[in-house]
């Protein structure tokens, strides 16, 4: 674009010079029209030379668990191009090494194979001719059923774009299209990608970040009746969803979405889709969708329904907390090396705390179930030997090597999970803010501030210091005593904060485990009662 701007600048200077000499001459009209015409032609030509990337995915023998991918490229000005397969996907902070599943990588120019130089495990270098179209072709094995892996068999297909589509570092912002071929008759496609107008099997992404944020599910899918919140449509579509009361389920899910939206006060997408990929495969959040493991069988039991709604509340709230309210390090994404941050305890741990709050505020669980949910996190954390060795920030930063639930094997007792300590600290932080502001503010106000200030206004993530500063701005004074629980292994003093709401944690211990449970103080003040009722949404 700078080159185009320079051409315009020179052209305008030239036009001024000509006008001064030929002001009264008819010829100046012709010259102006000529400059405008050829200048515009230059811009059009420049735009037409932008690289074009068109992916085609086919499944010739799905029972063998292989996708075939072709990438049609044109408009390239480089002679050497490095294509890379991502090593991970945002939302699952582990090196997945997707390139290990790639086979038969070839490239063709004019239907003739050309040399491919594999630089390392996930990088292929091609030497091409400028402005000559070429095609990449490769197969991807997809036999592991997991939310962060692509999968394919004769009954359905689940595509994690990070594991199927190569990218070019210098062109991560280039728009791409994806065409799915060989779909069985009657099969449907569910994805957050924008459909190409008039095409049922072609989709568009403005850049690779959007492409990689949009999984694709294909199969004999069932779509439940959608609902609207603030005029925005919310869909639920899935594979082998089981036997359950679909009307009740969607009614509950609508309450979850409404409760979550009420916290932030804004819906930043045009449509949202819950994509159910089958039983037992986890869940990962995205900007306008989430892919979740789902089995409707058993949802007639209240505890099973409660667990499912908490799970969906967690994944849905992530479209705010981590996809938009995000740590500074989580963007732009480094799909090669990963993005380490100290703040996953905010992104994941506080999302656990909010899933408990959301289902309670939605009226889907009673007070005792709400307490049980919090007790579960606290008890898991307090019975972890790793609480004496690893802080929340360390657990966040080391998740790439430790895993989201801490170290395994010999060092299992030297780490914690931010999924457990995160909501425990969120509880303490919430009460600290409520007490400091006489219940005029809460952790909700912090989340809203982060959304509107950093996502909306500054359009970036926040740092460690900025998160604490945001909390202290809302509270109106220092919260160093609370953030010691974040940066150190100092034992959490729950009762010094629960007392603000007339609550306490009672401990019952035996030789092996510690068990904590919430109890209401025998007598509480009016201010304690106000905080308690506000927190419990009474």
């Amino acid at each position: 674009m700078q080159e185009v701007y320079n051409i315009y600048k020179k052209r305008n200077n030239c036009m001024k010079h000509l006008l001064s000499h030929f002001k009264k001459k008819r010829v100046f009209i012709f010259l102006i029209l000529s400059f405008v015409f050829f200048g515009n032609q230059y811009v059009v030509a420049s735009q037409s030379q932008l690289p074009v990337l068109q992916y085609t995915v086919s499944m010739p023998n799905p029972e063998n668990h292989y996708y075939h991918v072709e990438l049609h490229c044109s408009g390239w000005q480089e002679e050497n191009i490095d294509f890379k397969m991502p090593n991970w996907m945002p939302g699952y902070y582990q090196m997945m090494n997707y390139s290990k599943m790639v086979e038969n990588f070839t490239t063709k120019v004019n239907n003739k194979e050309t040399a491919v130089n594999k630089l390392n495990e996930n990088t292929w270098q091609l030497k091409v001719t400028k402005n000559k179209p070429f095609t990449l072709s490769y197969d991807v094995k997809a036999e592991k059923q997991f939310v962060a892996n692509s999968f394919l068999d004769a009954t359905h297909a689940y595509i994690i774009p990070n594991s199927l589509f190569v990218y070019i570092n210098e062109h991560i912002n280039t728009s791409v299209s994806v065409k799915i071929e060989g779909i069985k008759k009657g099969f449907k496609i569910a994805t957050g990608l924008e459909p190409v107008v008039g095409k049922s099997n072609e989709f568009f992404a403005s850049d690779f970040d959007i492409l990689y944020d949009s999984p694709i599910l294909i199969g004999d899918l069932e779509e439940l009746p959608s609902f609207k919140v603030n005029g925005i449509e919310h869909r639920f579509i899935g594979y082998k969803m089981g036997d359950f009361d679909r009307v009740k389920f969607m009614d509950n899910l609508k309450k979850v979405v409404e409760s979550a939206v009420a916290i932030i006060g804004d819906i930043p997408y045009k449509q949202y889709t819950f994509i159910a990929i089958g039983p037992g495969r986890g869940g990962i959040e995205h900007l306008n969708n989430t892919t979740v493991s789902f089995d409707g069988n058993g949802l007639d039991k209240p505890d099973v329904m409660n667990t499912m709604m908490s799970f969906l509340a967690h994944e849905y709230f992530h479209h705010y907390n981590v996809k938009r309210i995000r740590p500074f390090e989580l963007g732009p994404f480094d799909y090669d090396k990963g993005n380490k941050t100290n703040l996953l305890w905010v992104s994941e741990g506080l999302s656990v705390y909010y899933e408990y709050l959301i289902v309670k505020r939605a009226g889907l669980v009673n007070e005792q179930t709400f307490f049980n949910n919090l007790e579960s996190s606290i008890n898991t954390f307090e019975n972890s030997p790793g609480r004496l060795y690893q802080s929340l920030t360390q657990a966040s930063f080391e998740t790439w090597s430790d895993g989201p639930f801490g170290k395994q094997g010999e060092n299992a007792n030297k780490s914690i999970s931010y999924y457990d300590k995160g909501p425990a600290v969120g509880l303490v932080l919430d009460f600290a803010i409520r007490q400091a502001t006489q219940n005029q503010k809460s952790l909700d106000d912090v989340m809203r501030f982060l959304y509107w200030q950093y996502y909306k206004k500054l359009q970036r993530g926040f740092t460690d210091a900025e998160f604490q500063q945001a909390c202290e701005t809302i509270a109106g004074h220092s919260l160093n005593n609370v953030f010691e629980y974040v940066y150190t292994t100092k034992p959490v003093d729950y009762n010094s904060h629960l007392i603000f709401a007339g609550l306490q944690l009672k401990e019952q211990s035996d030789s092996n485990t510690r068990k904590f449970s919430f109890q209401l103080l025998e007598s509480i003040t009016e201010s304690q009662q106000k905080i308690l009722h506000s927190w419990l949404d009474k």
Side-chain angles (χ1 to χ4, degrees), residues 375-376 378-385 387-388 491-492 494 506-517:
E375 289 165 2
S376 176
I378 292 171
N379 285 320
T380 301
F381 166 66
E382 290 296 337
N383 283 286
S384 169
R387 74 188 188 282
L388 305 175
V492 180
Y494 301 98
K506 295 289 280 188
E507 180 180 355
Q508 294 177 332
S509 303
D510 57 31
S511 58
N512 297 316
T513 60
R514 308 166 72 200
K515 185 176 181 180
F516 294 87
S517 59

Side-chain angles (χ1 to χ4, degrees), residues 17 26 52 79 124-125 143 151 168 175 204 229 248 282 293 314 333 338-339 383 394 478 480 512:
H17 179 73
R26 293 182 181 178
V52 175
E79 291 186 340
W124 295 263
Q125 187 177 80
E143 60 180 356
F151 180 77
I168 308 97
S175 61
F204 170 83
V229 175
K248 181 180 180 180
S293 60
H314 180 99
F333 292 117
N339 295 67
N383 283 286
Q394 288 171 331
S478 171
N480 279 336
N512 297 316

Side-chain angles (χ1 to χ4, degrees), residues 451-496:
Y451 179 84
W452 293 99
Q453 176 68 13
Y454 288 97
Y455 169 65
K456 283 285 194 176
K457 182 179 179 180
L458 300 179
Q459 298 183 356
R460 66 170 176 85
F462 50 87
T463 66
D464 300 52
E466 287 169 339
F467 179 78
Q468 181 171 345
Q469 184 181 45
C471 293
E472 292 177 339
T473 298
I474 298 299
H477 65 64
S478 171
L479 294 172
N480 279 336
N481 61 326
V482 176
F483 278 86
E484 282 188 283
Y485 305 139
V486 173
Y487 297 111
T488 74
T489 58
K490 180 181 178 179
V492 180
D493 186 354
Y494 301 98
N495 286 333
S496 66

Side-chain angles (χ1 to χ4, degrees), residues 215-362:
I216 302 169
L217 180 66
I218 305 168
D220 183 11
L221 309 181
E222 177 186 2
E223 181 164 5
L224 306 185
S226 64
F227 59 83
K228 289 186 177 181
V229 175
N230 296 353
I232 304 298
E233 185 180 31
H234 295 74
R235 305 168 62 204
F236 195 99
I237 184 168
Y239 167 75
K240 284 189 175 181
M241 293 199 289
D243 183 21
F244 60 100
D245 186 335
R246 282 146 168 79
V247 174
K248 181 180 180 180
F249 174 80
M250 291 302 284
D251 182 55
N252 287 349
L253 187 58
K254 182 180 181 181
K255 292 175 182 177
V256 164
V257 172
E258 289 173 335
S259 179
V261 169
I263 295 167
I264 304 301
D266 186 46
I267 298 181
Y269 47 77
K270 296 178 181 178
Q271 184 186 76
Y272 191 90
T273 308
F274 293 87
I275 302 174
I277 62 174
R281 305 186 203 175
I284 292 182
E285 68 280 352
H286 305 285
L287 285 167
N288 65 359
N289 68 96
T290 180
T291 49
V292 294
S293 60
F294 182 83
D295 185 355
N297 297 315
L299 288 180
D300 57 320
K301 300 175 182 176
D303 60 330
V304 178
M305 177 67 83
N306 291 343
T307 299
M308 179 59 69
M309 285 298 135
S310 286
F311 171 50
L312 295 177
H314 180 99
E315 297 304 331
Y316 175 76
F317 192 67
H318 266 318
H319 89 79
Y320 292 122
N321 189 27
V322 80
K323 297 307 295 183
R324 293 178 172 91
I325 303 170
R326 67 172 177 85
F328 185 80
E329 296 84 0
L330 294 185
F333 292 117
D334 185 336
Y335 296 105
D336 196 32
K337 298 181 175 65
N339 295 67
K340 290 188 175 183
T341 175
N342 292 328
L343 290 164
L344 287 180
W345 74 270
V346 173
S347 301
E348 293 291 352
L350 293 191
S351 289
V352 174
Y353 180 60
Y354 270 100
E355 75 178 73
Y356 300 156
L357 287 173
I358 287 167
V359 293
K360 174 63 176 67
R361 293 173 181 177

